[in-house]
Amino acid sequence: MRPYPIRLGRLIAKAMLALAGFLAVFPLVWTALNALKNNVDIITRVPRLVFTPTLANISYILGRDSVLTGLYNSVVACGSAVLIGVALGLPAAYAVARYPNRFAGDIQFFVLSLRFLPPVAVAIPLMVIWLQVGLYDTLPALIVTYSLLTISVIMWLAIPAFQGVPKEIEEAAFVDGYGAYSVFWRIALPVAARSLAGAIAFSFVLVWNEFLIALMLSSSNAKTLPIVASELSQQGMNVPWGILNASVVLLSLPPLLFLGVLSGFLNSVFRQKKT
Amino acid sequence: MRRRSSLPVTFLVPTLAILLVLSMVPTLYAIVIALQNRELSAPGYSWVWFSNFADLFLDRRFLNAVWVSVKWEVVTVVATMAVAIGLGVLMFEVAAPRLRNIYCLLFIIPVLLPRVSAAFVWKFAYHPLYGIATYPYRLITGGLIFDPLSKASTALFAVASVDVWQWGLFFAVIVLKLLETLPPQPIEAARLDHAKRWQIHAYVTLPMLKAPLISLMFVKMIESLRSFDLIYVMTRGGPGVATETLDMYAFSQGFIESGKVSYASAMAVLMMIATVITFTFLWKRVQA
């Protein structure tokens, strides 16, 4: 028989975990519910769980030009930056992982150090530069800036992914007469695909969620969705809470789509460490 | 056995060249701008060398922003690590494998949210009259008002709580996975010696995980510097200057209040120097 206090301790521990799990998602569930409420049901002193749902907020959001433009800009800017990151970052990561040279450590540190740069420090000069070149407030400027982010993040995460590919498979392919490039294409890429998908999804989430650079590099045409969403809150005294909640939901959905990919990625990273 | 190939050169050189250009051009240009007196409204400028930097150290708002940034770093990093280790150990101890998977999924959700979304979710939750997070207080006190975001003493902590909500829960998942990779023998040995569960973790498992936990802390220190969006949406640096961090102040000097781009850039350059030196030093220590 276990002594009583230990069982009580376990019970408290389980309750704390359950509370943490509740705190993790409840604010979001509440936001999603508020997106379906009329303003009268949101602005209540006692939170209201039972209400007549309405789609007015969501259809308002989806019907606004500014939101649609923001959505379009976000998709194009993030999508292009991720594609550039894949095209440049994956091969570079493979070269670092498989063809070790004396700079490998320095290269990895350089790529990581790009993360230290305060975003303001990058955004201020870029704003001045893009203004001078005449590309301020355009998608190309945003894509180029975001590429710095996606290339470095994809490289950083893909190096260990390529290192995790068993060397024997690649050696066998060389023996079979494959060249270096086709080993990369036909062996390394497919074998590491799952981890690489995680790295790519991570870089997408990062640029989709990015705010400061987009805020400083756009004034009207190239605004991304986070900027548009943040502006909705500044519409005078009568804050349209239902609409605001709907826009938060819209903004949050794309990253959440990657939940499965990213948690699988985490699992594969730590399984590698175990072996 | 591998023959010499052109692959490393063709795969690495273009990418590194592009990364170098994309990072060095703005970095060097930030320094150039900081040495001038550019303003957004006026096209002309001249070289003023170090006077922007000299002005900064006489600017009380700047010194306040440095202090707020330091507080922000300490509060968010310490709280995130505490939450992560606490919840990670709890999951390891009392959750069955299936429940662990469910918790892991739930705990990853907040960190995936755009910070703008997280900030809105909690800004509304903290609303003194209608917020869900302030509701228990209204209920207990019979309708008294608690407004954490507009009181100077609580605003920083209220914003920091959102950051910890996002990162602490996510790091708890990583701590759990780290605990799962440990060999079971030392834990069983300690158990045979009748060590209590908290003792096993305090003296056996966590010391074994020292290196990865320090790396984790390092990552959080870097991420904590990117708190601009959270603060921008939730408080705009207010009330007063209670939550005005360095990037917030640089942004408002450069764009909102006066358009003093050079002055803002001088601030950004100082931040850049401080972070690069600190993190390079820490990184070498972590790697050693």
Side-chain angles (χ1 to χ4, degrees):
Chain A
M1 285 284 277
R2 276 164 175 254
Y4 178 69
I6 289 185
R7 300 208 58 178
L8 187 67
R10 278 182 82 81
L11 215 66
I12 296 174
K14 284 187 175 178
M16 282 169 70
L17 263 185
L19 179 71
F22 174 77
L23 280 179
V25 282
F26 181 69
L28 286 174
V29 175
W30 192 247
T31 305
L33 283 178
N34 279 345
L36 299 172
K37 287 178 183 173
N38 287 308
N39 240 9
V40 282
D41 287 323
I42 300 177
I43 303 180
T44 55
R45 299 225 163 194
V46 179
R48 209 169 277 178
L49 257 178
V50 182
F51 58 92
T52 359
T54 168
L55 290 177
N57 298 318
I58 294 165
S59 61
Y60 176 85
I61 279 291
L62 292 178
R64 270 183 72 104
D65 283 345
S66 68
V67 173
L68 291 181
T69 313
L71 187 64
Y72 170 81
N73 288 341
S74 271
V75 169
V76 172
C78 299
S80 320
V82 169
L83 282 183
I84 294 174
V86 168
L88 291 170
L90 287 186
Y94 179 72
V96 173
R98 273 296 177 259
Y99 295 83
N101 58 49
R102 61 205 159 90
F103 303 114
D106 293 327
I107 292 173
Q108 269 176 291
F109 181 70
F110 165 66
V111 173
L112 177 73
S113 71
L114 295 179
R115 247 354 241 164
F116 305 168
L117 294 180
V120 227
V122 182
I124 295 172
L126 278 176
M127 197 183 116
V128 178
I129 292 171
W130 293 128
L131 272 171
Q132 282 173 348
V133 187
L135 282 175
Y136 175 75
D137 196 20
T138 63
L139 283 178
L142 215 51
I143 292 168
V144 170
T145 313
Y146 280 171
S147 297
L148 177 67
L149 214 72
T150 52
I151 297 171
S152 61
V153 168
I154 288 178
M155 247 185 104
W156 180 248
L157 293 173
I159 291 173
F162 281 124
Q163 282 167 344
V165 176
K167 266 199 176 125
E168 296 74 27
I169 308 181
E170 290 186 29
E171 296 294 346
F174 275 113
V175 172
D176 284 351
Y178 281 96
Y181 293 93
S182 45
V183 167
F184 169 71
W185 272 109
R186 305 211 190 153
I187 313 289
L189 271 186
V191 174
R194 278 196 59 184
S195 302
L196 296 179
I200 295 165
F202 188 82
S203 77
F204 175 83
V205 170
L206 220 60
V207 287
W208 181 272
N209 295 355
E210 203 287 324
F211 182 73
L212 173 62
I213 292 173
L215 182 68
M216 289 170 84
L217 292 189
S218 65
S219 60
S220 59
N221 300 322
K223 276 184 206 160
T224 56
L225 200 53
I227 313 298
V228 176
S230 86
E231 280 171 356
L232 281 175
S233 71
Q234 297 155 25
Q235 295 181 336
M237 299 288 282
N238 266 329
V239 183
W241 285 112
I243 290 161
L244 199 51
N245 280 304
S247 71
V248 167
V249 171
L250 176 68
L251 180 61
S252 310
L253 278 180
L256 290 179
L257 291 180
F258 291 105
L259 179 63
V261 181
L262 286 168
S263 85
F265 175 60
L266 277 183
N267 282 330
S268 73
V269 166
F270 285 96
R271 213 173 299 127
Q272 268 174 29
K273 275 198 178 165
K274 205 171 189 174
T275 49
Chain B
M1 284 178 293
R2 202 168 281 192
R3 266 159 291 150
R4 291 177 63 84
S5 155
S6 60
L7 182 139
V9 175
T10 42
F11 275 16
L12 257 182
V13 171
T15 304
L16 286 181
I18 288 174
L19 276 185
L20 264 175
V21 170
L22 283 184
S23 61
M24 290 323 282
V25 167
T27 309
L28 295 176
Y29 206 56
I31 298 171
V32 169
I33 296 174
L35 300 174
Q36 299 169 339
N37 63 351
R38 282 175 193 258
E39 298 203 2
L40 269 186
S41 47
Y45 62 89
S46 58
W47 293 83
V48 296
W49 303 108
F50 290 98
S51 80
N52 282 322
F53 293 93
D55 289 347
L56 275 177
F57 287 98
L58 299 172
D59 181 347
R60 293 182 67 174
R61 227 175 124 187
F62 170 73
L63 299 177
N64 171 72
V66 172
W67 173 232
V68 171
S69 292
V70 170
K71 269 200 289 191
W72 172 266
E73 281 285 314
V74 173
V75 169
T76 54
V77 171
V78 170
T80 298
M81 293 311 290
V83 167
I85 292 174
L87 286 178
V89 169
L90 278 184
M91 276 194 279
F92 186 71
E93 282 294 334
V94 301
R98 255 182 103 186
L99 203 56
R100 276 185 200 178
N101 286 338
I102 296 175
Y103 278 129
C104 284
L105 271 186
L106 292 184
F107 289 169
I108 297 176
I109 291 174
V111 83
L112 290 184
L113 288 192
R115 284 183 153 238
V116 173
S117 294
F120 272 129
V121 165
W122 283 95
K123 190 185 181 185
F124 190 53
Y126 280 139
H127 193 284
L129 292 177
Y130 319 119
I132 189 91
T134 52
Y135 172 64
Y137 183 85
R138 293 198 298 279
L139 189 69
I140 295 167
T141 59
L144 282 181
I145 282 173
F146 173 54
D147 193 358
L149 286 176
S150 58
K151 268 173 65 181
S153 56
T154 52
L156 186 86
F157 296 100
V159 182
S161 70
V162 182
D163 185 67
V164 176
W165 177 68
Q166 287 201 284
W167 287 92
L169 296 179
F170 170 56
F171 277 9
V173 175
I174 295 180
V175 171
L176 171 69
K177 309 242 172 217
L178 289 171
L179 285 170
E180 284 174 347
T181 59
L182 286 178
Q185 295 87 353
I187 303 177
E188 271 153 28
R191 215 164 260 169
L192 288 178
D193 287 340
H194 298 290
K196 293 196 173 69
R197 277 163 196 272
W198 69 266
Q199 287 175 323
I200 294 177
H201 288 293
Y203 298 118
V204 182
T205 61
L206 293 177
M208 285 169 85
L209 291 175
K210 198 175 153 204
L213 287 179
I214 290 177
S215 311
L216 214 52
M217 200 165 112
F218 184 72
V219 170
K220 181 61 191 130
M221 288 169 76
I222 297 175
E223 290 306 319
S224 277
L225 287 173
R226 302 165 178 267
S227 49
F228 177 86
D229 3 17
L230 213 53
I231 294 170
Y232 180 82
V233 171
M234 289 186 79
T235 63
R236 296 249 165 164
V241 288
T243 57
E244 190 169 75
T245 50
L246 278 171
D247 45 4
M248 191 72 224
Y249 183 44
F251 176 75
S252 58
Q253 278 297 305
F255 300 94
I256 298 179
E257 287 167 25
S258 38
K260 291 198 273 183
V261 183
S262 283
Y263 194 58
S265 195
M267 227 179 299
V269 167
L270 279 185
M271 265 173 92
M272 196 157 69
I273 294 171
T275 50
V276 168
I277 291 177
T278 314
F279 288 128
T280 307
F281 176 74
L282 285 175
W283 172 255
K284 303 281 178 204
R285 292 286 303 263
V286 170
Q287 292 298 88

